[in-house]
């Protein structure tokens, strides 16, 4: 492997190394994620095994613990990692992250802005898409969330990513200080009130650039759409949501699963028009577009059921994320 390998690729290949996260699945189907350590051991109610039985082995290895229980080991995929990593805020689920990367056309080398960073799940997906020669600037108002996200990103990539910067503060207030007008290719807004950032985003986006917003409720969706139309610098917005349903396939017993991953959020996209261009809007019958006080109250944190995360929990998550990042960085020193 050369020194010019893309960031994060070294710790996705080769034998297992100390400091790496490994996903264990036993023959009963139980899944556990551990961090390999020299002289470490994994204990459960059904037996134990030494980490040395996996260190130096390839992915897909199957071992037996002290009770004879068979266990298979793989590196966690992106979808597994983001659901098991330390978090202070809710994560953007893999099904939505994949849609964001695709629908926003996140390409290698793109200059992307993101707000807010949360626990870093979406940041990881964006960094994997833009590569080492793009640039992702993530805005986060809370330093505790930024620390958790930094630890999770460094764990995934085995160290700091050269294309990533975190800016503490509100995007609407600070974007113009750190990005030149017309210099941004894509804007990804995962926040409570994205309409408050539209003016700043419109100034930063290059003509043809894409804005994509991730919101939780119908009221938020409606207000973002109307704000994009009223701004006048964006194309007609498009909105959708993604639902994922698994299937049970065993012989002739083929049927949809009884449970599915349904609504997690709405995505709304639009493109930046050239300066002075007129938005081409479809003709439609007039409808109510003003928001009452009741409408506005529907998207407050309390109305959305948003829970305040305690400072103690945030500090613990930040410590866990940093510890995992340090171990992941150590594992890269064992790369052959």
């Amino acid at each position: 492997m050369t020194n010019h390998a893309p960031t994060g690729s070294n710790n996705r290949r080769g034998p297992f190394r100390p400091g790496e996260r490994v996903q264990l699945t036993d023959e009963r189907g139980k899944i556990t994620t551990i961090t390999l350590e020299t002289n470490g051991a994994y204990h459960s109610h059904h037996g134990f095994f030494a980490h040395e039985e996996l260190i130096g082995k390839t992915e897909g290895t199957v071992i037996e613990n002290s009770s004879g229980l068979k266990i298979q080991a793989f590196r966690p995929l992106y979808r597994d990692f983001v659901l098991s990593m330390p978090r202070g805020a809710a994560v953007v689920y893999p099904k939505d992250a994949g849609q964001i990367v695709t629908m926003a056309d996140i390409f290698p080398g793109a200059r992307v802005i993101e707000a807010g960073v949360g626990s870093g799940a979406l940041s990881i997906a964006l960094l994997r898409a833009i590569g080492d020669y793009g640039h992702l600037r993530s805005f986060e108002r809370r330093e505790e969330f930024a620390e958790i996200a930094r630890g999770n990103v460094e764990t995934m990539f085995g160290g700091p990513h050269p294309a990533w910067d975190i800016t503490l503060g509100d995007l609407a207030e600070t974007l113009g200080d750190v990005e030149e007008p017309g210099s941004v290719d894509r804007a990804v807004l995962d926040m409570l009130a994205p309409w408050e950032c539209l003016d700043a985003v419109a100034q930063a986006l290059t003509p043809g650039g894409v804005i994509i917003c991730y919101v939780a409720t119908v009221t938020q969706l409606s207000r973002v759409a109307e704000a994009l139309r009223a701004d006048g610098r964006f194309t007609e917005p498009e909105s959708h949501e993604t639902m994922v349903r698994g299937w049970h396939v065993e012989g002739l017993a083929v049927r949809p699963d009884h449970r599915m991953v349904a609504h997690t959020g709405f995505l709304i996209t639009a493109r930046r028009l050239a300066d002075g261009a007129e938005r081409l809007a479809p003709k439609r019958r007039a409808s109510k577009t003003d928001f009452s006080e009741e409408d506005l109250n529907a998207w407050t944190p309390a109305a959305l059921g948003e829970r305040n995360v305690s400072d103690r929990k945030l500090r613990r998550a930040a410590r866990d994320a940093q510890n995992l990042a340090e171990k992941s960085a150590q594992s890269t020193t064992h790369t052959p």
Side-chain angles (χ1 to χ4, degrees):
M1 187 67 64
T2 68
N3 293 330
H4 300 292
T7 300
S9 62
N10 285 344
N11 63 348
R12 306 298 296 169
R13 299 186 177 114
F16 290 128
R17 299 177 288 270
E20 283 197 289
R21 298 281 280 172
V22 174
Q23 182 173 281
L24 309 175
T25 305
D26 66 27
E27 56 190 278
R28 301 166 303 149
K30 181 181 178 181
I31 299 174
T32 306
T33 303
I34 66 171
T35 301
L36 293 178
E37 298 179 0
T38 303
N39 300 322
Y42 172 68
H43 293 262
S44 72
H45 295 299
H46 299 279
F48 70 92
F49 67 87
H51 290 188
E52 297 294 340
E53 294 187 51
L54 288 178
I55 294 174
K57 301 292 180 61
T58 61
E59 289 193 73
T61 292
V62 177
I63 62 174
E64 288 189 9
N65 70 5
S66 59
S67 299
L69 185 69
K70 290 183 174 63
I71 300 172
Q72 67 182 17
F74 288 93
R75 290 185 177 92
L77 300 176
Y78 167 80
R79 67 182 185 186
D80 305 312
F81 178 82
V82 299
L83 295 178
S84 65
M85 68 188 190
R87 65 178 71 176
V91 300
V92 174
Y93 281 87
K95 74 179 182 70
D96 294 317
Q99 286 290 314
I100 289 170
V101 168
T102 301
M103 300 304 292
D105 188 42
I106 309 295
F107 58 89
R111 294 187 62 85
V112 182
I113 55 175
E114 172 199 20
V117 69
S119 298
L122 182 56
S123 302
I124 293 171
L126 296 174
L127 288 167
R128 286 159 65 112
I130 66 174
D132 291 358
Y133 300 105
H135 182 246
L136 173 65
R137 185 178 296 277
S138 300
F139 292 83
E140 176 54 57
R141 290 183 294 183
R142 298 190 62 174
E143 186 173 1
E144 302 94 329
F145 287 167
E147 289 301 314
I148 295 169
R150 185 177 288 109
N152 288 330
V153 168
E154 293 185 6
T155 299
M156 170 58 77
F157 291 102
H161 197 288
W164 192 41
D165 288 312
I166 299 180
T167 296
L168 288 176
D170 194 303
L171 179 146
E173 299 173 358
T174 59
L175 177 57
D177 298 332
V178 293
E179 298 291 345
E180 295 292 328
S183 65
V184 173
D185 298 303
R186 305 290 185 259
V188 183
L189 305 183
D190 171 21
M191 55 195 304
L192 195 62
W195 50 88
E196 296 177 353
C197 299
L198 294 188
D199 181 61
V201 169
Q203 294 183 51
L205 274 179
T206 186
V210 178
I211 179 174
I212 185 164
C213 303
Y214 179 73
V215 294
T217 71
V218 170
T219 306
Q220 289 171 293
L221 181 68
S222 173
R223 188 161 187 199
V224 175
E226 295 305 326
L228 285 166
R229 292 179 178 124
D231 182 275
R233 289 171 286 184
F234 297 96
T235 59
E236 178 67 12
E238 299 178 0
S239 308
H240 69 276
E241 66 177 330
T242 304
M243 300 183 183
V244 177
R245 182 173 70 175
W247 278 71
H248 171 89
V249 181
E250 187 173 344
L252 296 179
V254 180
R255 56 170 175 75
D257 288 342
H258 297 304
R259 301 179 62 184
M260 66 179 291
V261 182
H263 176 76
T264 49
F266 297 104
L267 292 175
I268 180 168
T269 62
R271 301 191 69 178
R272 176 66 159 90
L273 292 167
D275 290 338
E278 181 181 356
R279 179 175 67 90
L280 302 182
K283 294 182 179 180
R284 55 167 64 88
R285 290 184 299 175
S287 63
K288 177 183 175 183
T289 57
D290 293 331
F291 293 88
S292 67
E293 189 66 27
E294 182 180 356
D295 293 328
L296 297 179
N297 288 335
W299 52 264
T300 61
L304 295 176
E306 184 175 298
R307 294 180 297 174
N308 289 325
V309 183
S310 68
D311 291 340
R312 180 179 179 183
K313 181 177 179 180
L314 288 176
R315 289 194 297 269
R316 182 172 65 249
R319 285 196 304 270
D320 291 344
Q322 187 57 44
N323 288 336
L324 291 174
E326 291 173 358
K327 291 176 180 177
S328 180
Q330 292 170 5
S331 76
T332 62
T333 63
H334 295 84
T335 301

